[in-house]
Amino acid sequence: MELTECLKDAFEKAFPGNDFSQLAVLPATDARFGDFQCNDALKFAKTLHLPPRKIAEAVLAQLGKPEFLEKAEIAGPGFINLTVAEKWLADSLAKVADDAHLGIPQAGAGRTAVIDYSSPNAAKQMHIGHIRSTVIGNAIDRIYRSLGYRVIADNHLGDWGTQFGILIKGYRECLTDAQRENLTVKDLEEAYVKSSTRAKEDETWKNACREELVKLQQGDAANHALWERFIKISIDEFTRMYDLLGVHFDTWRGESFYNSMMADVVEELVKRGMAEESEGALIVRFDAEGLPIAIVRKSDGGFNYTTSDIACVRSRIADYHPDVIIYVTDDRQQLHFKQFFIICAKLGMDVKLVHVPFGLMSFGGKAISTREGNLIKLDDLLSESVRRALEIVLSRKDDKSAEPTPDDMELARAIGFGAVKYADLSHDPATAVDFDWDKALALEGNSAPYLQYAHARVCSLIAKAGAVGTADAFAVSTPEEKRLALQLLQFGATVERAARQAKPSVLADYLFQTAQAYSSFYQRSPILKSEEPLRSSRLALCRLFGDVLAKGLDLLGIAAPARI
Ligand code: ARG
């Protein structure tokens, strides 16, 4: 049940063809008139050329009498006042509290989703540009699993392409023996930068790089062994980051995995008349769609990103029979996804393809860019977040000079990583995000520490209370109780909406609003000091809030420690 949705629906039925997407149902300003109010009949008087009361009457006629409403009345010039049915609230809360999924509908049961995220390019350190794909992708992954989907989380590594010729040459000639022996991703990065800089000014060097690449592609043993070593080192380094972030992949099929399937794809495109020759290359046109052409085989015979992604969809369909494949990448790749989605549809591939593009992350107002070299390494960002969180943890202890305990360290990681993730996830993925330490780590405001703190407080309240009454003890009557109850009942629908829109921010917004509803409930309603059965009822409400908050944070990949 979503009150706003219901009213929107009634407005739309009463006045079809108008845009009511901005319609608002707000908590009532005066509890004597009900629990909620909607003032939009007044707002639409002009557009609809009707007195607001007439509009309100037509809307209520469409609304009818849903079971969760006790009363719906018109007041004054055309306010709609709504009173929620207490019995319905109490029964619904009991159902959610009893449900192992806390009301999350198992809408994905029997369905499979492949989620392609993080997918960094090998032989480079991860920088904060990679955090968005990893964090947003992982939240979508967790959200889909919670809905009952079988999820295949696939890390589509950039592990093939021209950079490996440059890298092999750089490895052999730009590194010291010591570096080659204890090779790290940092060394690989250095080899790449030195070798590619050289290739730009030195034609012989450039050709030598090309030769190394051709040898690799033709299966030369030495080059292939080097390539394998580079990939292994990269994967180990990425895994270290993923372990810190609590991210786990089911498969790591990089671009190289699809190598042997690409010639087949091109052959089929040609056979179906979808690809044509142009200046030695094979291209696909998108005249009808008004998009630029895509190259599927270069003039030197090499395949590229489009070809590999088509082969990849084919292979995923054969191996996993997915209902949907979701890709999380930055928004500069939008054209690429549009193009190969169109090709897949024309090839009759039976799967829903979704691209979730995200905007860039900047840092203190400054863009991060590879070329300017002011990249913040993910590793450094994460260590810094733990360092800052530990300061907060230690400042809240009685003995401020005590050495941090292992518990303090664990708490600092929960808060630090949580802050970084939430700073990203609380924004619509499509928008750019400016990361700000003070905002991310604030104990007040829309931040992970605020939510974690709210959770820890509920945990300590419940611990103090001893036994909490059974779930059927819910009784909901004050406006604060009702508002919190309605929020908690929307958890399942919110998770489903976050999945449908592929926006973890929908869930983040919800958690923040719910925490605010809890906070006003907590301020105005005595809990431990109230008489039974009210005490048990309120405690049960608190516990349900704690459970929903912990589950919601978990779906965002954020820990909810019992104490802060
Ligand atoms: N490796 C690419 C990058 O770093 C992202 C790959 C996304 N996945 C895909 N199937 N194209 O930008």
Side-chain angles (χ1 to χ4, degrees), residues 116-122 130 133 154-159 253 255 258 305 308-309 312-313 316 325-330 332-333 336-337 340 355:
D116 176 322
Y117 67 96
S118 195
S119 309
N121 293 329
H130 292 113
S133 177
D154 190 8
N155 196 350
H156 189 86
L157 283 186
D159 62 357
R253 291 184 172 175
E255 286 173 32
Y258 305 99
Y305 198 35
S308 113
D309 262 326
C312 174
V313 175
R316 284 172 176 163
I325 305 179
I326 300 173
Y327 302 82
V328 186
T329 80
D330 73 67
R332 290 170 300 185
Q333 299 196 26
H336 164 72
F337 282 96
F340 92 82
H355 181 213

mmCIF file of all heavy atoms in Angstrom, residues 116-122 130 133 154-159 253 255 258 305 308-309 312-313 316 325-330 332-333 336-337 340 355, ligand 1:
data_model
loop_
_atom_site.group_PDB
_atom_site.id
_atom_site.type_symbol
_atom_site.label_atom_id
_atom_site.label_comp_id
_atom_site.label_asym_id
_atom_site.label_seq_id
_atom_site.Cartn_x
_atom_site.Cartn_y
_atom_site.Cartn_z
ATOM 1 N N ASP A 116 26.403 -7.151 -14.448
ATOM 2 C CA ASP A 116 27.763 -6.932 -14.936
ATOM 3 C C ASP A 116 28.223 -5.621 -14.305
ATOM 4 O O ASP A 116 27.734 -4.557 -14.656
ATOM 5 C CB ASP A 116 27.660 -6.854 -16.480
ATOM 6 C CG ASP A 116 28.958 -6.521 -17.204
ATOM 7 O OD1 ASP A 116 29.734 -5.695 -16.696
ATOM 8 O OD2 ASP A 116 29.156 -7.067 -18.309
ATOM 9 N N TYR A 117 29.093 -5.723 -13.304
ATOM 10 C CA TYR A 117 29.510 -4.475 -12.645
ATOM 11 C C TYR A 117 30.949 -4.526 -12.155
ATOM 12 O O TYR A 117 31.553 -5.584 -12.125
ATOM 13 C CB TYR A 117 28.554 -4.119 -11.510
ATOM 14 C CG TYR A 117 28.532 -5.046 -10.303
ATOM 15 C CD1 TYR A 117 29.290 -4.765 -9.166
ATOM 16 C CD2 TYR A 117 27.716 -6.163 -10.279
ATOM 17 C CE1 TYR A 117 29.229 -5.584 -8.038
ATOM 18 C CE2 TYR A 117 27.661 -6.992 -9.156
ATOM 19 C CZ TYR A 117 28.410 -6.696 -8.051
ATOM 20 O OH TYR A 117 28.356 -7.511 -6.938
ATOM 21 N N SER A 118 31.423 -3.376 -11.788
ATOM 22 C CA SER A 118 32.820 -3.112 -11.416
ATOM 23 C C SER A 118 33.685 -3.182 -12.674
ATOM 24 O O SER A 118 34.110 -2.160 -13.165
ATOM 25 C CB SER A 118 33.346 -4.052 -10.348
ATOM 26 O OG SER A 118 34.544 -3.507 -9.827
ATOM 27 N N SER A 119 33.924 -4.389 -13.205
ATOM 28 C CA SER A 119 34.553 -4.569 -14.520
ATOM 29 C C SER A 119 35.691 -3.601 -14.825
ATOM 30 O O SER A 119 35.674 -2.921 -15.846
ATOM 31 C CB SER A 119 33.470 -4.444 -15.613
ATOM 32 O OG SER A 119 32.375 -5.282 -15.326
ATOM 33 N N PRO A 120 36.693 -3.513 -13.948
ATOM 34 C CA PRO A 120 37.806 -2.588 -14.222
ATOM 35 C C PRO A 120 38.727 -3.156 -15.300
ATOM 36 O O PRO A 120 38.629 -4.335 -15.637
ATOM 37 C CB PRO A 120 38.560 -2.537 -12.885
ATOM 38 C CG PRO A 120 38.269 -3.844 -12.236
ATOM 39 C CD PRO A 120 36.894 -4.260 -12.699
ATOM 40 N N ASN A 121 39.573 -2.301 -15.826
ATOM 41 C CA ASN A 121 40.559 -2.773 -16.779
ATOM 42 C C ASN A 121 41.764 -3.310 -16.028
ATOM 43 O O ASN A 121 42.218 -2.696 -15.055
ATOM 44 C CB ASN A 121 40.948 -1.648 -17.727
ATOM 45 C CG ASN A 121 39.776 -1.264 -18.625
ATOM 46 O OD1 ASN A 121 38.946 -2.112 -18.956
ATOM 47 N ND2 ASN A 121 39.695 0.004 -18.995
ATOM 48 N N ALA A 122 42.257 -4.472 -16.457
ATOM 49 C CA ALA A 122 43.372 -5.119 -15.764
ATOM 50 C C ALA A 122 44.638 -4.280 -15.867
ATOM 51 O O ALA A 122 44.740 -3.379 -16.699
ATOM 52 C CB ALA A 122 43.604 -6.503 -16.353
ATOM 53 N N HIS A 130 36.274 3.977 -10.105
ATOM 54 C CA HIS A 130 35.734 2.618 -10.138
ATOM 55 C C HIS A 130 34.751 2.359 -9.012
ATOM 56 O O HIS A 130 34.064 1.349 -9.009
ATOM 57 C CB HIS A 130 36.862 1.588 -10.034
ATOM 58 C CG HIS A 130 37.733 1.576 -11.239
ATOM 59 N ND1 HIS A 130 39.042 1.985 -11.208
ATOM 60 C CD2 HIS A 130 37.476 1.233 -12.520
ATOM 61 C CE1 HIS A 130 39.559 1.877 -12.413
ATOM 62 N NE2 HIS A 130 38.630 1.432 -13.236
ATOM 63 N N SER A 133 30.747 2.088 -10.040
ATOM 64 C CA SER A 133 30.251 0.855 -10.657
ATOM 65 C C SER A 133 30.216 -0.269 -9.628
ATOM 66 O O SER A 133 29.272 -1.065 -9.578
ATOM 67 C CB SER A 133 31.124 0.450 -11.842
ATOM 68 O OG SER A 133 30.652 -0.767 -12.369
ATOM 69 N N ASP A 154 28.783 -10.770 -12.387
ATOM 70 C CA ASP A 154 29.879 -11.057 -13.306
ATOM 71 C C ASP A 154 30.809 -9.859 -13.430
ATOM 72 O O ASP A 154 30.379 -8.757 -13.754
ATOM 73 C CB ASP A 154 29.294 -11.425 -14.688
ATOM 74 C CG ASP A 154 30.356 -11.974 -15.630
ATOM 75 O OD1 ASP A 154 31.504 -12.211 -15.191
ATOM 76 O OD2 ASP A 154 30.036 -12.179 -16.821
ATOM 77 N N ASN A 155 32.073 -10.080 -13.131
ATOM 78 C CA ASN A 155 33.060 -9.022 -13.263
ATOM 79 C C ASN A 155 33.690 -9.110 -14.658
ATOM 80 O O ASN A 155 34.536 -9.952 -14.910
ATOM 81 C CB ASN A 155 34.122 -9.194 -12.166
ATOM 82 C CG ASN A 155 34.959 -7.943 -11.979
ATOM 83 O OD1 ASN A 155 34.877 -7.003 -12.783
ATOM 84 N ND2 ASN A 155 35.756 -7.917 -10.937
ATOM 85 N N HIS A 156 33.230 -8.252 -15.550
ATOM 86 C CA HIS A 156 33.627 -8.289 -16.957
ATOM 87 C C HIS A 156 34.935 -7.504 -17.127
ATOM 88 O O HIS A 156 34.949 -6.381 -17.644
ATOM 89 C CB HIS A 156 32.502 -7.672 -17.789
ATOM 90 C CG HIS A 156 32.642 -7.821 -19.267
ATOM 91 N ND1 HIS A 156 32.217 -8.915 -19.951
ATOM 92 C CD2 HIS A 156 33.152 -6.978 -20.200
ATOM 93 C CE1 HIS A 156 32.450 -8.751 -21.245
ATOM 94 N NE2 HIS A 156 33.015 -7.582 -21.423
ATOM 95 N N LEU A 157 36.009 -8.105 -16.648
ATOM 96 C CA LEU A 157 37.316 -7.435 -16.665
ATOM 97 C C LEU A 157 37.733 -6.992 -18.067
ATOM 98 O O LEU A 157 37.522 -7.730 -19.033
ATOM 99 C CB LEU A 157 38.397 -8.410 -16.208
ATOM 100 C CG LEU A 157 38.566 -8.735 -14.745
ATOM 101 C CD1 LEU A 157 39.802 -9.603 -14.582
ATOM 102 C CD2 LEU A 157 38.684 -7.470 -13.922
ATOM 103 N N GLY A 158 38.340 -5.832 -18.150
ATOM 104 C CA GLY A 158 38.972 -5.418 -19.407
ATOM 105 C C GLY A 158 40.348 -6.076 -19.447
ATOM 106 O O GLY A 158 41.323 -5.491 -19.002
ATOM 107 N N ASP A 159 40.385 -7.314 -19.935
ATOM 108 C CA ASP A 159 41.648 -8.061 -19.854
ATOM 109 C C ASP A 159 42.198 -8.415 -21.231
ATOM 110 O O ASP A 159 42.945 -9.370 -21.396
ATOM 111 C CB ASP A 159 41.460 -9.339 -19.019
ATOM 112 C CG ASP A 159 40.449 -10.272 -19.661
ATOM 113 O OD1 ASP A 159 39.868 -9.908 -20.710
ATOM 114 O OD2 ASP A 159 40.233 -11.372 -19.124
ATOM 115 N N ARG A 253 34.393 -13.353 -15.877
ATOM 116 C CA ARG A 253 34.655 -13.583 -17.291
ATOM 117 C C ARG A 253 35.007 -12.264 -17.948
ATOM 118 O O ARG A 253 34.132 -11.443 -18.209
ATOM 119 C CB ARG A 253 33.430 -14.200 -17.946
ATOM 120 C CG ARG A 253 33.203 -15.620 -17.450
ATOM 121 C CD ARG A 253 32.063 -16.265 -18.169
ATOM 122 N NE ARG A 253 31.986 -17.677 -17.816
ATOM 123 C CZ ARG A 253 31.022 -18.492 -18.217
ATOM 124 N NH1 ARG A 253 30.056 -18.022 -18.998
ATOM 125 N NH2 ARG A 253 31.022 -19.745 -17.871
ATOM 126 N N GLU A 255 36.885 -9.787 -20.968
ATOM 127 C CA GLU A 255 36.720 -9.710 -22.425
ATOM 128 C C GLU A 255 37.417 -10.869 -23.134
ATOM 129 O O GLU A 255 36.929 -11.372 -24.149
ATOM 130 C CB GLU A 255 37.276 -8.379 -22.946
ATOM 131 C CG GLU A 255 36.369 -7.200 -22.613
ATOM 132 C CD GLU A 255 37.002 -5.862 -22.988
ATOM 133 O OE1 GLU A 255 37.761 -5.818 -23.975
ATOM 134 O OE2 GLU A 255 36.750 -4.866 -22.291
ATOM 135 N N TYR A 258 35.689 -14.095 -24.378
ATOM 136 C CA TYR A 258 34.790 -14.113 -25.551
ATOM 137 C C TYR A 258 35.553 -14.072 -26.871
ATOM 138 O O TYR A 258 34.951 -14.055 -27.941
ATOM 139 C CB TYR A 258 33.795 -12.946 -25.453
ATOM 140 C CG TYR A 258 33.060 -12.999 -24.136
ATOM 141 C CD1 TYR A 258 33.431 -12.206 -23.060
ATOM 142 C CD2 TYR A 258 32.030 -13.934 -23.944
ATOM 143 C CE1 TYR A 258 32.798 -12.315 -21.833
ATOM 144 C CE2 TYR A 258 31.395 -14.048 -22.716
ATOM 145 C CZ TYR A 258 31.784 -13.236 -21.667
ATOM 146 O OH TYR A 258 31.160 -13.366 -20.464
ATOM 147 N N TYR A 305 35.104 -3.677 -28.972
ATOM 148 C CA TYR A 305 34.231 -3.691 -27.800
ATOM 149 C C TYR A 305 32.801 -4.132 -28.149
ATOM 150 O O TYR A 305 32.211 -4.962 -27.461
ATOM 151 C CB TYR A 305 34.245 -2.269 -27.227
ATOM 152 C CG TYR A 305 33.777 -2.115 -25.796
ATOM 153 C CD1 TYR A 305 34.037 -3.086 -24.834
ATOM 154 C CD2 TYR A 305 33.093 -0.951 -25.395
ATOM 155 C CE1 TYR A 305 33.619 -2.909 -23.516
ATOM 156 C CE2 TYR A 305 32.685 -0.766 -24.089
ATOM 157 C CZ TYR A 305 32.942 -1.749 -23.150
ATOM 158 O OH TYR A 305 32.513 -1.560 -21.855
ATOM 159 N N SER A 308 32.672 -7.849 -28.912
ATOM 160 C CA SER A 308 32.872 -8.680 -27.725
ATOM 161 C C SER A 308 31.623 -8.651 -26.840
ATOM 162 O O SER A 308 31.249 -9.668 -26.259
ATOM 163 C CB SER A 308 34.143 -8.245 -26.996
ATOM 164 O OG SER A 308 33.874 -7.679 -25.760
ATOM 165 N N ASP A 309 30.941 -7.510 -26.784
ATOM 166 C CA ASP A 309 29.729 -7.471 -25.953
ATOM 167 C C ASP A 309 28.571 -8.254 -26.575
ATOM 168 O O ASP A 309 27.733 -8.801 -25.851
ATOM 169 C CB ASP A 309 29.325 -6.024 -25.638
ATOM 170 C CG ASP A 309 29.815 -5.607 -24.248
ATOM 171 O OD1 ASP A 309 29.854 -6.471 -23.352
ATOM 172 O OD2 ASP A 309 30.173 -4.431 -24.063
ATOM 173 N N CYS A 312 29.305 -11.753 -25.795
ATOM 174 C CA CYS A 312 29.086 -11.937 -24.364
ATOM 175 C C CYS A 312 27.601 -12.201 -24.049
ATOM 176 O O CYS A 312 27.275 -13.096 -23.262
ATOM 177 C CB CYS A 312 29.609 -10.692 -23.653
ATOM 178 S SG CYS A 312 29.287 -10.647 -21.915
ATOM 179 N N VAL A 313 26.708 -11.443 -24.685
ATOM 180 C CA VAL A 313 25.272 -11.660 -24.438
ATOM 181 C C VAL A 313 24.886 -13.074 -24.881
ATOM 182 O O VAL A 313 24.214 -13.811 -24.164
ATOM 183 C CB VAL A 313 24.403 -10.625 -25.190
ATOM 184 C CG1 VAL A 313 22.916 -10.951 -25.029
ATOM 185 C CG2 VAL A 313 24.674 -9.220 -24.674
ATOM 186 N N ARG A 316 26.122 -15.570 -22.397
ATOM 187 C CA ARG A 316 25.357 -15.541 -21.144
ATOM 188 C C ARG A 316 23.996 -16.202 -21.321
ATOM 189 O O ARG A 316 23.507 -16.888 -20.420
ATOM 190 C CB ARG A 316 25.189 -14.094 -20.661
ATOM 191 C CG ARG A 316 26.455 -13.542 -20.035
ATOM 192 C CD ARG A 316 26.346 -12.049 -19.736
ATOM 193 N NE ARG A 316 27.541 -11.567 -19.050
ATOM 194 C CZ ARG A 316 27.877 -10.295 -18.944
ATOM 195 N NH1 ARG A 316 27.107 -9.352 -19.480
ATOM 196 N NH2 ARG A 316 28.967 -9.940 -18.291
ATOM 197 N N ILE A 325 19.756 -8.791 -18.168
ATOM 198 C CA ILE A 325 21.186 -8.526 -17.942
ATOM 199 C C ILE A 325 21.315 -7.033 -17.661
ATOM 200 O O ILE A 325 20.810 -6.205 -18.419
ATOM 201 C CB ILE A 325 22.059 -8.886 -19.164
ATOM 202 C CG1 ILE A 325 21.822 -10.342 -19.586
ATOM 203 C CG2 ILE A 325 23.539 -8.662 -18.844
ATOM 204 C CD1 ILE A 325 22.640 -10.765 -20.822
ATOM 205 N N ILE A 326 21.952 -6.708 -16.538
ATOM 206 C CA ILE A 326 22.080 -5.306 -16.133
ATOM 207 C C ILE A 326 23.558 -4.916 -16.160
ATOM 208 O O ILE A 326 24.403 -5.633 -15.617
ATOM 209 C CB ILE A 326 21.517 -5.112 -14.712
ATOM 210 C CG1 ILE A 326 20.041 -5.510 -14.695
ATOM 211 C CG2 ILE A 326 21.691 -3.672 -14.241
ATOM 212 C CD1 ILE A 326 19.436 -5.520 -13.309
ATOM 213 N N TYR A 327 23.869 -3.812 -16.826
ATOM 214 C CA TYR A 327 25.248 -3.322 -16.927
ATOM 215 C C TYR A 327 25.363 -2.010 -16.170
ATOM 216 O O TYR A 327 24.558 -1.109 -16.375
ATOM 217 C CB TYR A 327 25.626 -3.041 -18.380
ATOM 218 C CG TYR A 327 25.508 -4.227 -19.318
ATOM 219 C CD1 TYR A 327 24.288 -4.579 -19.864
ATOM 220 C CD2 TYR A 327 26.630 -4.971 -19.656
ATOM 221 C CE1 TYR A 327 24.178 -5.652 -20.734
ATOM 222 C CE2 TYR A 327 26.540 -6.050 -20.533
ATOM 223 C CZ TYR A 327 25.303 -6.384 -21.066
ATOM 224 O OH TYR A 327 25.202 -7.439 -21.920
ATOM 225 N N VAL A 328 26.375 -1.890 -15.334
ATOM 226 C CA VAL A 328 26.578 -0.643 -14.587
ATOM 227 C C VAL A 328 27.912 -0.029 -15.015
ATOM 228 O O VAL A 328 28.980 -0.548 -14.676
ATOM 229 C CB VAL A 328 26.584 -0.920 -13.064
ATOM 230 C CG1 VAL A 328 26.655 0.387 -12.281
ATOM 231 C CG2 VAL A 328 25.350 -1.715 -12.648
ATOM 232 N N THR A 329 27.845 1.034 -15.806
ATOM 233 C CA THR A 329 29.089 1.706 -16.241
ATOM 234 C C THR A 329 28.870 3.215 -16.253
ATOM 235 O O THR A 329 27.740 3.689 -16.134
ATOM 236 C CB THR A 329 29.512 1.334 -17.688
ATOM 237 O OG1 THR A 329 28.715 2.109 -18.608
ATOM 238 C CG2 THR A 329 29.357 -0.139 -17.977
ATOM 239 N N ASP A 330 29.939 3.957 -16.454
ATOM 240 C CA ASP A 330 29.783 5.410 -16.490
ATOM 241 C C ASP A 330 29.031 5.833 -17.750
ATOM 242 O O ASP A 330 28.929 5.076 -18.715
ATOM 243 C CB ASP A 330 31.135 6.118 -16.352
ATOM 244 C CG ASP A 330 31.985 6.008 -17.591
ATOM 245 O OD1 ASP A 330 31.598 6.592 -18.622
ATOM 246 O OD2 ASP A 330 33.025 5.341 -17.538
ATOM 247 N N ARG A 332 29.554 7.758 -20.118
ATOM 248 C CA ARG A 332 30.213 8.001 -21.397
ATOM 249 C C ARG A 332 30.090 6.797 -22.336
ATOM 250 O O ARG A 332 30.396 6.883 -23.510
ATOM 251 C CB ARG A 332 31.691 8.344 -21.175
ATOM 252 C CG ARG A 332 31.863 9.713 -20.526
ATOM 253 C CD ARG A 332 33.283 9.934 -20.087
ATOM 254 N NE ARG A 332 33.682 8.915 -19.109
ATOM 255 C CZ ARG A 332 34.837 8.907 -18.465
ATOM 256 N NH1 ARG A 332 35.718 9.839 -18.713
ATOM 257 N NH2 ARG A 332 35.127 7.964 -17.589
ATOM 258 N N GLN A 333 29.623 5.675 -21.794
ATOM 259 C CA GLN A 333 29.486 4.483 -22.641
ATOM 260 C C GLN A 333 28.061 4.294 -23.165
ATOM 261 O O GLN A 333 27.722 3.239 -23.684
ATOM 262 C CB GLN A 333 29.900 3.239 -21.849
ATOM 263 C CG GLN A 333 31.345 3.304 -21.390
ATOM 264 C CD GLN A 333 31.874 1.938 -20.947
ATOM 265 O OE1 GLN A 333 31.414 0.897 -21.377
ATOM 266 N NE2 GLN A 333 32.857 1.967 -20.059
ATOM 267 N N HIS A 336 27.622 3.150 -26.852
ATOM 268 C CA HIS A 336 28.029 1.750 -27.024
ATOM 269 C C HIS A 336 26.891 0.794 -26.625
ATOM 270 O O HIS A 336 26.562 -0.137 -27.353
ATOM 271 C CB HIS A 336 29.279 1.477 -26.181
ATOM 272 C CG HIS A 336 29.563 0.023 -25.974
ATOM 273 N ND1 HIS A 336 30.021 -0.792 -26.986
ATOM 274 C CD2 HIS A 336 29.423 -0.776 -24.888
ATOM 275 C CE1 HIS A 336 30.163 -2.023 -26.521
ATOM 276 N NE2 HIS A 336 29.794 -2.041 -25.257
ATOM 277 N N PHE A 337 26.294 1.051 -25.469
ATOM 278 C CA PHE A 337 25.228 0.149 -25.013
ATOM 279 C C PHE A 337 23.996 0.241 -25.905
ATOM 280 O O PHE A 337 23.398 -0.773 -26.246
ATOM 281 C CB PHE A 337 24.902 0.405 -23.535
ATOM 282 C CG PHE A 337 25.934 -0.210 -22.633
ATOM 283 C CD1 PHE A 337 26.980 0.537 -22.133
ATOM 284 C CD2 PHE A 337 25.891 -1.566 -22.325
ATOM 285 C CE1 PHE A 337 27.965 -0.041 -21.335
ATOM 286 C CE2 PHE A 337 26.871 -2.153 -21.539
ATOM 287 C CZ PHE A 337 27.909 -1.388 -21.031
ATOM 288 N N PHE A 340 24.827 -1.816 -29.172
ATOM 289 C CA PHE A 340 24.833 -3.280 -29.190
ATOM 290 C C PHE A 340 23.523 -3.880 -28.659
ATOM 291 O O PHE A 340 23.169 -5.003 -29.003
ATOM 292 C CB PHE A 340 26.115 -3.869 -28.573
ATOM 293 C CG PHE A 340 26.083 -4.179 -27.110
ATOM 294 C CD1 PHE A 340 25.517 -5.372 -26.654
ATOM 295 C CD2 PHE A 340 26.640 -3.325 -26.197
ATOM 296 C CE1 PHE A 340 25.511 -5.682 -25.307
ATOM 297 C CE2 PHE A 340 26.638 -3.625 -24.845
ATOM 298 C CZ PHE A 340 26.065 -4.804 -24.392
ATOM 299 N N HIS A 355 20.944 -0.873 -19.286
ATOM 300 C CA HIS A 355 22.188 -0.161 -18.957
ATOM 301 C C HIS A 355 21.892 0.842 -17.853
ATOM 302 O O HIS A 355 20.954 1.615 -17.946
ATOM 303 C CB HIS A 355 22.731 0.570 -20.201
ATOM 304 C CG HIS A 355 24.014 1.294 -19.937
ATOM 305 N ND1 HIS A 355 24.348 2.472 -20.558
ATOM 306 C CD2 HIS A 355 25.044 1.010 -19.101
ATOM 307 C CE1 HIS A 355 25.540 2.880 -20.123
ATOM 308 N NE2 HIS A 355 25.973 2.011 -19.236
HETATM 309 N N1 ARG B 1 35.939 -2.463 -18.690
HETATM 310 C C1 ARG B 1 34.997 -1.424 -18.974
HETATM 311 C C2 ARG B 1 35.477 -0.103 -18.357
HETATM 312 O O1 ARG B 1 36.383 -0.104 -17.548
HETATM 313 C C3 ARG B 1 33.615 -1.698 -18.449
HETATM 314 C C4 ARG B 1 32.978 -2.968 -18.961
HETATM 315 C C5 ARG B 1 31.495 -2.986 -18.764
HETATM 316 N N2 ARG B 1 30.878 -4.205 -19.168
HETATM 317 C C6 ARG B 1 30.628 -4.581 -20.435
HETATM 318 N N3 ARG B 1 30.071 -5.756 -20.663
HETATM 319 N N4 ARG B 1 30.887 -3.770 -21.442
HETATM 320 O O2 ARG B 1 34.955 0.939 -18.679
#
